[in-house]
Amino acid sequence: STLLASSAASDVYKRQHQGMTIRSLREEAGLTKQDVIDASGLSSRIVYRLEEDGYDIRSISAEKLMRLAYILDTDPMCLYEAGLPKK
């Protein structure tokens, strides 16, 4: 049960880190969530969840990940790695 609690805590941290990374990149680019939705082809629900609820970025297609990275002016691996658990 301690291992499960540790895993759950790591998952929460991962989601918070991912959301902060994506939100920070979007704000630095001077974009609204709607701008990202319009340019990326992602649904408003997914864009919101990527930033707020920690939707696993590894669940979106490679094409949309590349588009999102382009819009946010970052390397796709930066976004992908933001969704990986910390070791």
Side-chain angles (χ1 to χ4, degrees), residues 26-45:
R26 178 180 58 75
E27 290 173 350
E28 286 174 22
L31 301 171
T32 66
K33 286 182 187 173
Q34 189 61 51
D35 293 332
V36 173
I37 292 162
D38 293 342
S40 69
L42 292 168
S43 72
S44 58
R45 181 175 157 251

Side-chain angles (χ1 to χ4, degrees), residues 5-45:
S6 176
S7 176
S10 174
D11 196 44
V12 167
Y13 174 81
K14 172 194 75 166
R15 291 191 311 256
Q16 290 172 341
H17 176 71
Q18 172 188 291
M20 289 186 303
T21 299
I22 292 171
R23 185 178 313 110
S24 175
L25 289 167
R26 178 180 58 75
E27 290 173 350
E28 286 174 22
L31 301 171
T32 66
K33 286 182 187 173
Q34 189 61 51
D35 293 332
V36 173
I37 292 162
D38 293 342
S40 69
L42 292 168
S43 72
S44 58
R45 181 175 157 251

